[in-house]
Amino acid sequence: MKKIGFLSFGHWTPSPQSQTRSASDALLQSIDLAVAAEELGADGAYFRVHHFARQLASPFPLLAAVGARTKRIEIGTAVIDMRYENPLYMAEDAGSADVIAGGRLQLGISRGSPEQVIDGWRYFGYAPPEGMTDADMARRHTEVLLEVLRGEGFAKPNPRPMFSNPPGLLRLEPYSETLRERIWWGAGTNATAEWAAKLGMNLQSSTLKIDESGKPFHIQQAEQIRLYRAAWKAAGHAREPRVSVSRSIFALVDDRDRMYFAHDSESADQVGFLSEKERAIFGRSYAGEPDALIAQLKGDEAIAEADTLLLTVPNQLGVDYNAHVIEAILKCVAPGMGWR
């Protein structure tokens, strides 16, 4: 059994060709798609966070709204860029969203990727201390978040508070007891995957990673997952970790599918540069008639290694079509892969 969810970037554009023409459309349609995915039997509704872009940005109002409209489906991010985050305020927001959702939040966080503006986190009031990089700052924000999510008191109470306090040092509220176990790290390298394992975070691996060997993307990603699991075991954590990978996968079951995505049947990995020094490999898309698609997917080593698959959806094609994309995978592909 593999958990299957969707991942939306929440793109919007005023173009008449788009079904998602405003920020309002992107947010409300994201809620509606999560409701539809739950009704179809999907396991997760995940959202990407990008700043300074016509995409989903501040995640917690959306996560809380999805939590209030659904009952079973996991609700998550993939990922929140920690360079932009106040970890204490984030812990309060996440705790509130998780309480509303009844403990279904799966919070994916990371250093993030190149953004729309240069050093965008500086506009949010953050800058790395001397001797640290922005990646170091993201990891430091993450360590603070993980610490406060333990729920131990750390703040000295006012001796004359406006409201009565429990005894001892105070923690942030609302507090969710199990949220610390539902934090995921989006790792772009083998080293950060191992770092995440040591800190007891689950692993999210997307369709992009730093090219560390020149091997095909799915093989590099599978190797990353195995290194992560070995580091987890060495750290001696009591629970079993979770691992997700994301993919663009389209079952061609009607003429709309063939019009939109038949060209992806010939897709291949691509290599590019995230910066002057970072050579990245981007995983291929998958598209085909169900039987052919199943044969292709069985050769993907990283999907086989993961317990959770996130399907990236073309959100600007509208809620109804994206629900169809998810349903086609659940009904026409998942059984043949042994996922259902």
mmCIF file of all heavy atoms in Angstrom, residues 226-270:
data_model
loop_
_atom_site.group_PDB
_atom_site.id
_atom_site.type_symbol
_atom_site.label_atom_id
_atom_site.label_comp_id
_atom_site.label_asym_id
_atom_site.label_seq_id
_atom_site.Cartn_x
_atom_site.Cartn_y
_atom_site.Cartn_z
ATOM 1 N N ARG A 226 18.051 5.696 0.232
ATOM 2 C CA ARG A 226 18.736 4.631 0.981
ATOM 3 C C ARG A 226 19.740 5.219 1.976
ATOM 4 O O ARG A 226 19.858 4.717 3.110
ATOM 5 C CB ARG A 226 19.434 3.691 -0.004
ATOM 6 C CG ARG A 226 18.457 2.918 -0.904
ATOM 7 C CD ARG A 226 19.170 1.970 -1.836
ATOM 8 N NE ARG A 226 18.271 1.505 -2.891
ATOM 9 C CZ ARG A 226 18.415 1.771 -4.180
ATOM 10 N NH1 ARG A 226 19.463 2.480 -4.595
ATOM 11 N NH2 ARG A 226 17.551 1.324 -5.067
ATOM 12 N N LEU A 227 20.444 6.256 1.584
ATOM 13 C CA LEU A 227 21.365 6.918 2.512
ATOM 14 C C LEU A 227 20.608 7.530 3.684
ATOM 15 O O LEU A 227 21.058 7.468 4.835
ATOM 16 C CB LEU A 227 22.158 8.000 1.776
ATOM 17 C CG LEU A 227 23.238 7.512 0.799
ATOM 18 C CD1 LEU A 227 23.752 8.678 -0.050
ATOM 19 C CD2 LEU A 227 24.387 6.853 1.561
ATOM 20 N N TYR A 228 19.468 8.123 3.387
ATOM 21 C CA TYR A 228 18.625 8.698 4.443
ATOM 22 C C TYR A 228 18.191 7.620 5.435
ATOM 23 O O TYR A 228 18.305 7.801 6.656
ATOM 24 C CB TYR A 228 17.400 9.356 3.799
ATOM 25 C CG TYR A 228 16.284 9.674 4.770
ATOM 26 C CD1 TYR A 228 16.320 10.820 5.554
ATOM 27 C CD2 TYR A 228 15.197 8.816 4.905
ATOM 28 C CE1 TYR A 228 15.298 11.111 6.457
ATOM 29 C CE2 TYR A 228 14.169 9.099 5.792
ATOM 30 C CZ TYR A 228 14.232 10.247 6.567
ATOM 31 O OH TYR A 228 13.224 10.520 7.459
ATOM 32 N N ARG A 229 17.722 6.498 4.936
ATOM 33 C CA ARG A 229 17.246 5.437 5.829
ATOM 34 C C ARG A 229 18.397 4.861 6.663
ATOM 35 O O ARG A 229 18.203 4.523 7.836
ATOM 36 C CB ARG A 229 16.554 4.347 5.012
ATOM 37 C CG ARG A 229 15.187 4.774 4.465
ATOM 38 C CD ARG A 229 14.265 3.581 4.297
ATOM 39 N NE ARG A 229 12.909 4.013 4.006
ATOM 40 C CZ ARG A 229 12.345 4.003 2.797
ATOM 41 N NH1 ARG A 229 13.050 3.594 1.748
ATOM 42 N NH2 ARG A 229 11.102 4.403 2.632
ATOM 43 N N ALA A 230 19.571 4.754 6.058
ATOM 44 C CA ALA A 230 20.726 4.263 6.822
ATOM 45 C C ALA A 230 21.087 5.249 7.935
ATOM 46 O O ALA A 230 21.402 4.844 9.069
ATOM 47 C CB ALA A 230 21.919 4.049 5.884
ATOM 48 N N ALA A 231 21.038 6.552 7.644
ATOM 49 C CA ALA A 231 21.338 7.565 8.657
ATOM 50 C C ALA A 231 20.269 7.564 9.750
ATOM 51 O O ALA A 231 20.579 7.774 10.930
ATOM 52 C CB ALA A 231 21.437 8.942 8.004
ATOM 53 N N TRP A 232 19.029 7.333 9.377
ATOM 54 C CA TRP A 232 17.942 7.251 10.363
ATOM 55 C C TRP A 232 18.181 6.091 11.332
ATOM 56 O O TRP A 232 18.070 6.242 12.552
ATOM 57 C CB TRP A 232 16.608 7.078 9.640
ATOM 58 C CG TRP A 232 15.413 7.042 10.543
ATOM 59 C CD1 TRP A 232 14.959 5.976 11.272
ATOM 60 C CD2 TRP A 232 14.532 8.129 10.845
ATOM 61 N NE1 TRP A 232 13.835 6.319 11.979
ATOM 62 C CE2 TRP A 232 13.552 7.635 11.749
ATOM 63 C CE3 TRP A 232 14.455 9.457 10.436
ATOM 64 C CZ2 TRP A 232 12.518 8.445 12.228
ATOM 65 C CZ3 TRP A 232 13.424 10.252 10.906
ATOM 66 C CH2 TRP A 232 12.474 9.748 11.806
ATOM 67 N N LYS A 233 18.521 4.942 10.766
ATOM 68 C CA LYS A 233 18.785 3.766 11.602
ATOM 69 C C LYS A 233 19.966 4.020 12.529
ATOM 70 O O LYS A 233 19.921 3.664 13.723
ATOM 71 C CB LYS A 233 19.047 2.554 10.709
ATOM 72 C CG LYS A 233 19.242 1.257 11.479
ATOM 73 C CD LYS A 233 19.420 0.076 10.526
ATOM 74 C CE LYS A 233 19.614 -1.219 11.299
ATOM 75 N NZ LYS A 233 19.804 -2.373 10.376
ATOM 76 N N ALA A 234 21.019 4.638 12.007
ATOM 77 C CA ALA A 234 22.204 4.908 12.820
ATOM 78 C C ALA A 234 21.904 5.879 13.950
ATOM 79 O O ALA A 234 22.524 5.818 15.017
ATOM 80 C CB ALA A 234 23.322 5.463 11.933
ATOM 81 N N ALA A 235 20.926 6.786 13.721
ATOM 82 C CA ALA A 235 20.569 7.763 14.760
ATOM 83 C C ALA A 235 19.767 7.132 15.890
ATOM 84 O O ALA A 235 19.635 7.732 16.962
ATOM 85 C CB ALA A 235 19.789 8.912 14.144
ATOM 86 N N GLY A 236 19.217 5.944 15.664
ATOM 87 C CA GLY A 236 18.517 5.224 16.716
ATOM 88 C C GLY A 236 17.126 5.725 17.034
ATOM 89 O O GLY A 236 16.629 5.514 18.151
ATOM 90 N N HIS A 237 16.457 6.364 16.078
ATOM 91 C CA HIS A 237 15.096 6.836 16.326
ATOM 92 C C HIS A 237 14.149 5.649 16.543
ATOM 93 O O HIS A 237 14.309 4.584 15.930
ATOM 94 C CB HIS A 237 14.593 7.677 15.155
ATOM 95 C CG HIS A 237 15.442 8.881 14.883
ATOM 96 N ND1 HIS A 237 15.682 9.859 15.830
ATOM 97 C CD2 HIS A 237 16.106 9.282 13.759
ATOM 98 C CE1 HIS A 237 16.451 10.797 15.305
ATOM 99 N NE2 HIS A 237 16.735 10.468 14.061
ATOM 100 N N ALA A 238 13.147 5.853 17.378
ATOM 101 C CA ALA A 238 12.246 4.757 17.740
ATOM 102 C C ALA A 238 11.229 4.448 16.657
ATOM 103 O O ALA A 238 10.848 3.294 16.465
ATOM 104 C CB ALA A 238 11.526 5.089 19.053
ATOM 105 N N ARG A 239 10.756 5.459 15.937
ATOM 106 C CA ARG A 239 9.699 5.229 14.955
ATOM 107 C C ARG A 239 10.277 5.004 13.571
ATOM 108 O O ARG A 239 11.466 5.249 13.321
ATOM 109 C CB ARG A 239 8.739 6.422 14.913
ATOM 110 C CG ARG A 239 9.354 7.699 14.386
ATOM 111 C CD ARG A 239 8.343 8.832 14.340
ATOM 112 N NE ARG A 239 8.955 10.066 13.827
ATOM 113 C CZ ARG A 239 9.013 10.388 12.553
ATOM 114 N NH1 ARG A 239 8.508 9.577 11.623
ATOM 115 N NH2 ARG A 239 9.577 11.528 12.164
ATOM 116 N N GLU A 240 9.426 4.538 12.654
ATOM 117 C CA GLU A 240 9.825 4.374 11.263
ATOM 118 C C GLU A 240 9.626 5.705 10.531
ATOM 119 O O GLU A 240 8.601 6.364 10.701
ATOM 120 C CB GLU A 240 8.989 3.288 10.581
ATOM 121 C CG GLU A 240 9.349 1.879 10.999
ATOM 122 C CD GLU A 240 10.770 1.502 10.588
ATOM 123 O OE1 GLU A 240 11.142 1.778 9.434
ATOM 124 O OE2 GLU A 240 11.497 0.955 11.434
ATOM 125 N N PRO A 241 10.568 6.100 9.689
ATOM 126 C CA PRO A 241 10.423 7.366 8.967
ATOM 127 C C PRO A 241 9.503 7.204 7.758
ATOM 128 O O PRO A 241 9.253 6.085 7.297
ATOM 129 C CB PRO A 241 11.843 7.674 8.516
ATOM 130 C CG PRO A 241 12.430 6.318 8.269
ATOM 131 C CD PRO A 241 11.840 5.430 9.343
ATOM 132 N N ARG A 242 9.038 8.324 7.241
ATOM 133 C CA ARG A 242 8.291 8.325 5.992
ATOM 134 C C ARG A 242 9.091 9.046 4.921
ATOM 135 O O ARG A 242 9.857 9.965 5.212
ATOM 136 C CB ARG A 242 6.926 8.987 6.178
ATOM 137 C CG ARG A 242 5.964 8.136 7.003
ATOM 138 C CD ARG A 242 4.591 8.781 7.073
ATOM 139 N NE ARG A 242 4.014 8.946 5.749
ATOM 140 C CZ ARG A 242 2.856 9.566 5.520
ATOM 141 N NH1 ARG A 242 2.181 10.094 6.533
ATOM 142 N NH2 ARG A 242 2.379 9.686 4.291
ATOM 143 N N VAL A 243 8.884 8.617 3.679
ATOM 144 C CA VAL A 243 9.601 9.187 2.541
ATOM 145 C C VAL A 243 8.616 9.421 1.405
ATOM 146 O O VAL A 243 7.859 8.519 1.038
ATOM 147 C CB VAL A 243 10.718 8.236 2.057
ATOM 148 C CG1 VAL A 243 11.370 8.790 0.792
ATOM 149 C CG2 VAL A 243 11.761 8.023 3.144
ATOM 150 N N SER A 244 8.623 10.625 0.864
ATOM 151 C CA SER A 244 7.783 10.914 -0.303
ATOM 152 C C SER A 244 8.642 11.335 -1.485
ATOM 153 O O SER A 244 9.717 11.918 -1.316
ATOM 154 C CB SER A 244 6.767 12.021 0.008
ATOM 155 O OG SER A 244 7.404 13.287 0.076
ATOM 156 N N VAL A 245 8.160 11.013 -2.677
ATOM 157 C CA VAL A 245 8.719 11.564 -3.911
ATOM 158 C C VAL A 245 7.566 12.182 -4.689
ATOM 159 O O VAL A 245 6.414 11.772 -4.547
ATOM 160 C CB VAL A 245 9.429 10.492 -4.774
ATOM 161 C CG1 VAL A 245 10.622 9.915 -4.033
ATOM 162 C CG2 VAL A 245 8.466 9.379 -5.182
ATOM 163 N N SER A 246 7.867 13.187 -5.486
ATOM 164 C CA SER A 246 6.833 13.797 -6.324
ATOM 165 C C SER A 246 7.155 13.528 -7.784
ATOM 166 O O SER A 246 8.315 13.441 -8.179
ATOM 167 C CB SER A 246 6.726 15.300 -6.051
ATOM 168 O OG SER A 246 7.964 15.946 -6.238
ATOM 169 N N ARG A 247 6.100 13.395 -8.565
ATOM 170 C CA ARG A 247 6.218 13.097 -9.988
ATOM 171 C C ARG A 247 5.068 13.749 -10.765
ATOM 172 O O ARG A 247 3.957 13.884 -10.251
ATOM 173 C CB ARG A 247 6.156 11.590 -10.251
ATOM 174 C CG ARG A 247 7.329 10.768 -9.769
ATOM 175 C CD ARG A 247 8.569 11.001 -10.610
ATOM 176 N NE ARG A 247 9.644 10.093 -10.231
ATOM 177 C CZ ARG A 247 10.503 10.307 -9.242
ATOM 178 N NH1 ARG A 247 10.381 11.395 -8.494
ATOM 179 N NH2 ARG A 247 11.467 9.456 -8.988
ATOM 180 N N SER A 248 5.353 14.101 -12.019
ATOM 181 C CA SER A 248 4.305 14.475 -12.968
ATOM 182 C C SER A 248 3.930 13.214 -13.735
ATOM 183 O O SER A 248 4.734 12.708 -14.531
ATOM 184 C CB SER A 248 4.813 15.563 -13.924
ATOM 185 O OG SER A 248 5.112 16.747 -13.218
ATOM 186 N N ILE A 249 2.733 12.682 -13.457
ATOM 187 C CA ILE A 249 2.290 11.420 -14.052
ATOM 188 C C ILE A 249 0.881 11.602 -14.600
ATOM 189 O O ILE A 249 -0.030 12.022 -13.859
ATOM 190 C CB ILE A 249 2.284 10.278 -13.017
ATOM 191 C CG1 ILE A 249 3.660 10.127 -12.373
ATOM 192 C CG2 ILE A 249 1.857 8.964 -13.665
ATOM 193 C CD1 ILE A 249 3.693 9.110 -11.239
ATOM 194 N N PHE A 250 0.686 11.284 -15.876
ATOM 195 C CA PHE A 250 -0.609 11.481 -16.499
ATOM 196 C C PHE A 250 -1.022 10.223 -17.257
ATOM 197 O O PHE A 250 -0.327 9.782 -18.183
ATOM 198 C CB PHE A 250 -0.582 12.675 -17.456
ATOM 199 C CG PHE A 250 -0.191 13.953 -16.763
ATOM 200 C CD1 PHE A 250 1.115 14.426 -16.842
ATOM 201 C CD2 PHE A 250 -1.109 14.655 -16.003
ATOM 202 C CE1 PHE A 250 1.491 15.586 -16.188
ATOM 203 C CE2 PHE A 250 -0.743 15.814 -15.339
ATOM 204 C CZ PHE A 250 0.556 16.282 -15.434
ATOM 205 N N ALA A 251 -2.134 9.635 -16.835
ATOM 206 C CA ALA A 251 -2.717 8.497 -17.550
ATOM 207 C C ALA A 251 -3.576 9.041 -18.684
ATOM 208 O O ALA A 251 -4.486 9.843 -18.443
ATOM 209 C CB ALA A 251 -3.547 7.650 -16.599
ATOM 210 N N LEU A 252 -3.293 8.631 -19.898
ATOM 211 C CA LEU A 252 -4.031 9.118 -21.062
ATOM 212 C C LEU A 252 -5.257 8.234 -21.269
ATOM 213 O O LEU A 252 -5.188 7.179 -21.910
ATOM 214 C CB LEU A 252 -3.126 9.103 -22.297
ATOM 215 C CG LEU A 252 -1.775 9.827 -22.152
ATOM 216 C CD1 LEU A 252 -0.987 9.779 -23.449
ATOM 217 C CD2 LEU A 252 -1.973 11.266 -21.690
ATOM 218 N N VAL A 253 -6.382 8.667 -20.702
ATOM 219 C CA VAL A 253 -7.594 7.852 -20.762
ATOM 220 C C VAL A 253 -8.703 8.500 -21.572
ATOM 221 O O VAL A 253 -9.728 7.860 -21.830
ATOM 222 C CB VAL A 253 -8.112 7.514 -19.348
ATOM 223 C CG1 VAL A 253 -7.083 6.704 -18.579
ATOM 224 C CG2 VAL A 253 -8.496 8.768 -18.575
ATOM 225 N N ASP A 254 -8.536 9.764 -21.979
ATOM 226 C CA ASP A 254 -9.525 10.385 -22.860
ATOM 227 C C ASP A 254 -8.826 11.395 -23.758
ATOM 228 O O ASP A 254 -7.612 11.613 -23.668
ATOM 229 C CB ASP A 254 -10.681 11.014 -22.072
ATOM 230 C CG ASP A 254 -10.271 12.178 -21.186
ATOM 231 O OD1 ASP A 254 -9.204 12.794 -21.433
ATOM 232 O OD2 ASP A 254 -11.018 12.501 -20.244
ATOM 233 N N ASP A 255 -9.591 12.016 -24.647
ATOM 234 C CA ASP A 255 -8.998 12.911 -25.638
ATOM 235 C C ASP A 255 -8.386 14.158 -25.004
ATOM 236 O O ASP A 255 -7.408 14.707 -25.537
ATOM 237 C CB ASP A 255 -10.058 13.319 -26.671
ATOM 238 C CG ASP A 255 -10.455 12.163 -27.583
ATOM 239 O OD1 ASP A 255 -9.667 11.193 -27.667
ATOM 240 O OD2 ASP A 255 -11.537 12.226 -28.193
ATOM 241 N N ARG A 256 -8.951 14.621 -23.896
ATOM 242 C CA ARG A 256 -8.358 15.775 -23.222
ATOM 243 C C ARG A 256 -6.944 15.439 -22.751
ATOM 244 O O ARG A 256 -6.006 16.234 -22.932
ATOM 245 C CB ARG A 256 -9.208 16.199 -22.026
ATOM 246 C CG ARG A 256 -10.567 16.744 -22.339
ATOM 247 C CD ARG A 256 -11.304 17.026 -21.047
ATOM 248 N NE ARG A 256 -11.445 15.810 -20.240
ATOM 249 C CZ ARG A 256 -11.851 15.792 -18.972
ATOM 250 N NH1 ARG A 256 -12.138 16.928 -18.357
ATOM 251 N NH2 ARG A 256 -11.968 14.642 -18.329
ATOM 252 N N ASP A 257 -6.784 14.282 -22.151
ATOM 253 C CA ASP A 257 -5.463 13.872 -21.669
ATOM 254 C C ASP A 257 -4.461 13.816 -22.810
ATOM 255 O O ASP A 257 -3.319 14.269 -22.684
ATOM 256 C CB ASP A 257 -5.543 12.497 -21.000
ATOM 257 C CG ASP A 257 -6.530 12.445 -19.860
ATOM 258 O OD1 ASP A 257 -6.695 13.465 -19.162
ATOM 259 O OD2 ASP A 257 -7.146 11.378 -19.668
ATOM 260 N N ARG A 258 -4.904 13.246 -23.928
ATOM 261 C CA ARG A 258 -3.986 13.099 -25.060
ATOM 262 C C ARG A 258 -3.611 14.456 -25.633
ATOM 263 O O ARG A 258 -2.466 14.687 -26.020
ATOM 264 C CB ARG A 258 -4.620 12.207 -26.120
ATOM 265 C CG ARG A 258 -4.884 10.784 -25.609
ATOM 266 C CD ARG A 258 -5.523 9.878 -26.657
ATOM 267 N NE ARG A 258 -5.873 8.607 -26.052
ATOM 268 C CZ ARG A 258 -7.070 8.302 -25.578
ATOM 269 N NH1 ARG A 258 -8.061 9.199 -25.659
ATOM 270 N NH2 ARG A 258 -7.304 7.121 -25.029
ATOM 271 N N MET A 259 -4.561 15.383 -25.656
ATOM 272 C CA MET A 259 -4.282 16.723 -26.162
ATOM 273 C C MET A 259 -3.276 17.450 -25.275
ATOM 274 O O MET A 259 -2.339 18.076 -25.764
ATOM 275 C CB MET A 259 -5.584 17.522 -26.242
ATOM 276 C CG MET A 259 -5.399 18.983 -26.665
ATOM 277 S SD MET A 259 -6.946 19.902 -26.732
ATOM 278 C CE MET A 259 -7.415 19.921 -24.989
ATOM 279 N N TYR A 260 -3.457 17.346 -23.972
ATOM 280 C CA TYR A 260 -2.606 18.076 -23.052
ATOM 281 C C TYR A 260 -1.238 17.431 -22.845
ATOM 282 O O TYR A 260 -0.222 18.132 -22.727
ATOM 283 C CB TYR A 260 -3.289 18.194 -21.675
ATOM 284 C CG TYR A 260 -4.460 19.137 -21.606
ATOM 285 C CD1 TYR A 260 -5.636 18.746 -20.957
ATOM 286 C CD2 TYR A 260 -4.402 20.410 -22.153
ATOM 287 C CE1 TYR A 260 -6.721 19.612 -20.860
ATOM 288 C CE2 TYR A 260 -5.484 21.281 -22.074
ATOM 289 C CZ TYR A 260 -6.639 20.880 -21.422
ATOM 290 O OH TYR A 260 -7.706 21.728 -21.334
ATOM 291 N N PHE A 261 -1.189 16.088 -22.779
ATOM 292 C CA PHE A 261 0.014 15.463 -22.230
ATOM 293 C C PHE A 261 0.609 14.325 -23.057
ATOM 294 O O PHE A 261 1.587 13.718 -22.619
ATOM 295 C CB PHE A 261 -0.281 14.942 -20.816
ATOM 296 C CG PHE A 261 -0.664 16.040 -19.867
ATOM 297 C CD1 PHE A 261 -1.965 16.127 -19.385
ATOM 298 C CD2 PHE A 261 0.260 16.990 -19.478
ATOM 299 C CE1 PHE A 261 -2.336 17.153 -18.527
ATOM 300 C CE2 PHE A 261 -0.092 18.016 -18.617
ATOM 301 C CZ PHE A 261 -1.392 18.103 -18.141
ATOM 302 N N ALA A 262 0.072 14.040 -24.241
ATOM 303 C CA ALA A 262 0.652 12.955 -25.039
ATOM 304 C C ALA A 262 2.125 13.210 -25.335
ATOM 305 O O ALA A 262 2.932 12.268 -25.402
ATOM 306 C CB ALA A 262 -0.126 12.774 -26.336
ATOM 307 N N HIS A 263 2.508 14.489 -25.478
ATOM 308 C CA HIS A 263 3.906 14.806 -25.793
ATOM 309 C C HIS A 263 4.846 14.410 -24.664
ATOM 310 O O HIS A 263 6.050 14.199 -24.891
ATOM 311 C CB HIS A 263 4.061 16.301 -26.080
ATOM 312 C CG HIS A 263 3.725 17.183 -24.916
ATOM 313 N ND1 HIS A 263 2.416 17.507 -24.595
ATOM 314 C CD2 HIS A 263 4.504 17.784 -23.984
ATOM 315 C CE1 HIS A 263 2.414 18.288 -23.523
ATOM 316 N NE2 HIS A 263 3.660 18.465 -23.132
ATOM 317 N N ASP A 264 4.328 14.282 -23.421
ATOM 318 C CA ASP A 264 5.184 13.913 -22.294
ATOM 319 C C ASP A 264 5.577 12.443 -22.308
ATOM 320 O O ASP A 264 6.409 12.020 -21.494
ATOM 321 C CB ASP A 264 4.491 14.243 -20.972
ATOM 322 C CG ASP A 264 4.541 15.736 -20.640
ATOM 323 O OD1 ASP A 264 5.474 16.403 -21.112
ATOM 324 O OD2 ASP A 264 3.650 16.216 -19.929
ATOM 325 N N SER A 265 4.982 11.662 -23.218
ATOM 326 C CA SER A 265 5.344 10.244 -23.287
ATOM 327 C C SER A 265 6.796 10.058 -23.719
ATOM 328 O O SER A 265 7.398 9.013 -23.484
ATOM 329 C CB SER A 265 4.414 9.501 -24.254
ATOM 330 O OG SER A 265 4.532 10.032 -25.567
ATOM 331 N N GLU A 266 7.378 11.081 -24.342
ATOM 332 C CA GLU A 266 8.771 11.029 -24.778
ATOM 333 C C GLU A 266 9.680 11.849 -23.867
ATOM 334 O O GLU A 266 10.817 12.168 -24.224
ATOM 335 C CB GLU A 266 8.881 11.545 -26.215
ATOM 336 C CG GLU A 266 8.024 10.799 -27.221
ATOM 337 C CD GLU A 266 8.388 9.331 -27.319
ATOM 338 O OE1 GLU A 266 9.589 9.009 -27.207
ATOM 339 O OE2 GLU A 266 7.477 8.511 -27.514
ATOM 340 N N SER A 267 9.191 12.199 -22.670
ATOM 341 C CA SER A 267 9.957 13.041 -21.744
ATOM 342 C C SER A 267 11.230 12.340 -21.281
ATOM 343 O O SER A 267 11.296 11.114 -21.219
ATOM 344 C CB SER A 267 9.080 13.397 -20.536
ATOM 345 O OG SER A 267 9.801 14.096 -19.566
ATOM 346 N N ALA A 268 12.227 13.150 -20.943
ATOM 347 C CA ALA A 268 13.503 12.616 -20.428
ATOM 348 C C ALA A 268 14.014 13.541 -19.332
ATOM 349 O O ALA A 268 13.576 14.690 -19.196
ATOM 350 C CB ALA A 268 14.531 12.507 -21.554
ATOM 351 N N ASP A 269 14.934 13.030 -18.519
ATOM 352 C CA ASP A 269 15.582 13.872 -17.514
ATOM 353 C C ASP A 269 16.252 15.064 -18.191
ATOM 354 O O ASP A 269 16.701 14.983 -19.342
ATOM 355 C CB ASP A 269 16.656 13.087 -16.760
ATOM 356 C CG ASP A 269 16.095 11.973 -15.894
ATOM 357 O OD1 ASP A 269 14.873 11.958 -15.667
ATOM 358 O OD2 ASP A 269 16.893 11.126 -15.444
ATOM 359 N N GLN A 270 16.344 16.166 -17.442
ATOM 360 C CA GLN A 270 17.029 17.350 -17.935
ATOM 361 C C GLN A 270 18.046 17.813 -16.897
ATOM 362 O O GLN A 270 17.856 17.607 -15.700
ATOM 363 C CB GLN A 270 16.044 18.477 -18.239
ATOM 364 C CG GLN A 270 15.055 18.135 -19.335
ATOM 365 C CD GLN A 270 14.110 19.290 -19.632
ATOM 366 O OE1 GLN A 270 14.152 20.332 -18.981
ATOM 367 N NE2 GLN A 270 13.260 19.115 -20.623
#
